[in-house]
Amino acid sequence: MNPFIERLVNDKVDAAFKQAQIPKKFFVTENGRGVVDGGDLYNAVVADVVSIMKVAIGEILSEMVSASQPAPQQSAPKQAAPQSTAKSSKTNIKK
């Protein structure tokens, strides 16, 4: 991934995460037991989700940048100069 894009994505996601209103509980189990905000499991899940999103967004942006750049043009092979097939302009004039 492009280092500039990676740094930009990390900065923007971190800033958005700080401004987000994260719910106070995050339910993990089927029986309804929740993990309270700030707990180890909650923090681990949030960190995993954020890191996955950073990678995905960075890869998407990298592909967009590489797709918008024109592909390098290959130079056409040089062709040999064409052989002259014209007849000589000298004419034999007999006197």
Side-chain angles (χ1 to χ4, degrees), residues 55-69:
V55 170
I57 292 169
E59 293 296 325
I60 291 168
L61 292 175
S62 293
E63 287 182 27
M64 289 174 62
V65 167
S66 66
S68 67
Q69 294 176 348

Side-chain angles (χ1 to χ4, degrees), residues 5-51:
I5 292 176
E6 184 175 5
R7 187 174 61 248
L8 180 65
V9 168
N10 286 336
D11 292 346
K12 295 296 181 179
V13 170
D14 290 342
F17 184 69
K18 287 178 184 177
Q19 294 177 356
Q21 302 232 347
I22 299 174
K24 294 298 177 195
K25 286 197 176 218
F26 179 78
F27 292 98
V28 176
T29 61
E30 289 181 3
N31 65 2
R33 290 181 30 189
V35 179
V36 179
D37 181 16
D40 291 338
L41 182 57
Y42 180 86
N43 290 337
V45 170
V46 170
D48 287 345
V49 170
V50 169
S51 67

Side-chain angles (χ1 to χ4, degrees), residues 86-91:
K87 294 182 179 179
S88 175
S89 61
K90 295 182 181 178
T91 56

